[in-house]
Amino acid sequence: MQPIEFDGSPTPSLGVEWEFALTDKVTGDLSNSAADLFALVSEHVPARRDKVHKELLRNTVEIVTGICRDTPEAMADLSATLDAVRGLTEELGVDLYGAGTHPFAQWSTQLLTEGHRYAELIERTQWWGRQMLIWGVHVHVGISHRDKVLPILGSLLNYYPHLLALSASSPMWAGQDTNYASNRAMMFQQLPTAGLPFQFATWAEFESFVTDQKTTGIIDHLNEIRWDIRPSPHLGTIEVRVCDGLTNLTELSALVAFIHCLVVDLDRRFSAGEELPQMAPWLVQENKWRAARYGLDAIVILDAQCRERLVTDDLAELLERLEPIARELNCVDELSRVADIVSAGASYQRQREVYRQTGDLRAVVSSVVDELR
């Protein structure tokens, strides 16, 4: 069994990865113009080149932060890159689109980003891999020692439905309303190493799992494990990949602050000797489905005793409990915006309302694009 070193973070640092689709300004359809955008970034804003990344398809770009102390610093970092990139998209006649799926794009017209890793993924996954017209947000939180990682990760799964319901922004697919708040969550888990993580009791069990994956050729590299929440040993973080794409900075800041507070709270409780609460995998799986299907109207399972509650009611109590930690992490204002999402409605609800009023899927695209401005 090959050991996996965890390069622990001395502080609960923060890093954010924000995926965007590129949409044509005239048609609203996806645009395979990422390569042109990267060329413009390299030419005009080379200082930001390392913060704009390629993804599987040429219709996608990812904007990332450096290592940040808190949510305000992460938002400032993202905003600076976003402003630089948005100036260049105008030249290409495209917009940045932040929702989890596109309402009418067809997978068959999308082009693959050049690279052996991407080609191999599509060769293996075929139809399902080509279907991945999905975008999300990933949040890294620094963890000091590997022995904390799996207990925190396992307990963090209890809050999976809260994060997905708040961020859900992918109700439409290939011209139809799926009647799911997050169709992205259902799509992405079709890939062979994606979906919910396995729940391991020890780091040695995780190492044994990774060894099996490599021995049998399922993965070549650790980062090919694409779980919704996963350890990132080389970064010294837990990476939370639950959220759908977020359509504006305000809601992004709310979810980043919420995740930061949740992870730090669990870290401190574990360090104080508390046995962190966990639920059986079948309960976690049910919660994921309920949040993906019903969004903010989901009744979620709270604990191993199978108590249930409307997710928005549980959020209200949870936000109150996390407020002291938010003060320490300098994100009180950002965390308070979680309640605003509940009261004003999440992106999936706003998209449906636009379509109800207009009957036009291009209007849905425009509404998503406008939220970023």
Side-chain angles (χ1 to χ4, degrees), residues 115-177:
H116 171 73
R117 183 167 65 96
Y118 297 130
E120 191 171 301
L121 175 63
I122 292 298
E123 171 59 28
R124 184 169 186 224
T125 59
Q126 290 298 313
W127 189 86
W128 278 114
R130 292 191 176 277
Q131 289 284 325
M132 292 296 137
L133 305 186
I134 55 175
W135 301 275
V137 168
H138 307 158
V139 179
H140 291 260
V141 181
I143 305 294
S144 62
H145 194 274
R146 74 176 196 185
D147 290 346
K148 295 181 176 182
V149 171
L150 296 176
I152 293 171
L153 188 156
S155 197
L156 196 57
L157 289 170
N158 292 14
Y159 305 105
Y160 190 115
H162 305 67
L163 296 171
L164 185 57
L166 287 164
S167 65
S169 65
S170 52
M172 299 172 192
W173 184 266
Q176 297 184 41
D177 190 330

Side-chain angles (χ1 to χ4, degrees), residues 71-72 257 260-261 325-336:
T71 300
H260 202 193
C261 290
I325 290 178
R327 282 198 294 271
E328 292 183 46
L329 296 177
N330 190 32
C331 61
V332 171
D333 291 344
E334 290 83 359
L335 184 66
S336 70

Side-chain angles (χ1 to χ4, degrees), residues 69-263:
R69 294 184 302 272
D70 53 32
T71 300
E73 184 181 349
M75 292 305 103
D77 191 340
L78 286 171
S79 294
T81 305
L82 186 61
D83 288 345
V85 170
R86 205 157 33 183
L88 302 174
T89 58
E90 293 296 317
E91 184 175 334
L92 295 175
V94 299
D95 289 311
L96 296 175
Y97 173 93
T101 58
H102 189 281
F104 63 84
Q106 299 297 317
W107 67 268
S108 58
T109 62
Q110 310 310 315
L111 301 179
L112 189 66
T113 299
E114 292 182 6
H116 171 73
R117 183 167 65 96
Y118 297 130
E120 191 171 301
L121 175 63
I122 292 298
E123 171 59 28
R124 184 169 186 224
T125 59
Q126 290 298 313
W127 189 86
W128 278 114
R130 292 191 176 277
Q131 289 284 325
M132 292 296 137
L133 305 186
I134 55 175
W135 301 275
V137 168
H138 307 158
V139 179
H140 291 260
V141 181
I143 305 294
S144 62
H145 194 274
R146 74 176 196 185
D147 290 346
K148 295 181 176 182
V149 171
L150 296 176
I152 293 171
L153 188 156
S155 197
L156 196 57
L157 289 170
N158 292 14
Y159 305 105
Y160 190 115
H162 305 67
L163 296 171
L164 185 57
L166 287 164
S167 65
S169 65
S170 52
M172 299 172 192
W173 184 266
Q176 297 184 41
D177 190 330
T178 65
N179 289 315
Y180 277 74
S182 174
N183 194 52
R184 180 203 64 89
M186 297 291 94
M187 288 294 301
F188 190 53
Q189 67 185 10
Q190 304 306 320
L191 294 183
T193 62
L196 290 167
F198 295 105
Q199 294 168 244
F200 300 110
T202 66
W203 191 258
E205 287 183 11
F206 174 61
E207 290 175 325
S208 179
F209 163 81
V210 173
T211 298
D212 288 348
Q213 296 278 296
K214 289 183 175 180
T215 299
T216 55
I218 298 171
I219 64 171
D220 293 320
H221 305 285
L222 189 59
N223 62 7
E224 292 171 355
I225 296 172
R226 299 178 175 90
W227 291 335
D228 297 336
I229 308 177
R230 67 181 182 182
S232 287
H234 67 294
L235 297 175
T237 67
I238 287 176
E239 182 183 4
V240 180
R241 300 155 52 89
V242 172
C243 295
D244 269 10
L246 288 157
T247 59
N248 59 79
L249 277 161
T250 300
E251 291 183 351
L252 177 66
S253 69
L255 267 296
V256 170
F258 187 31
I259 291 168
H260 202 193
C261 290
L262 282 173
V263 174

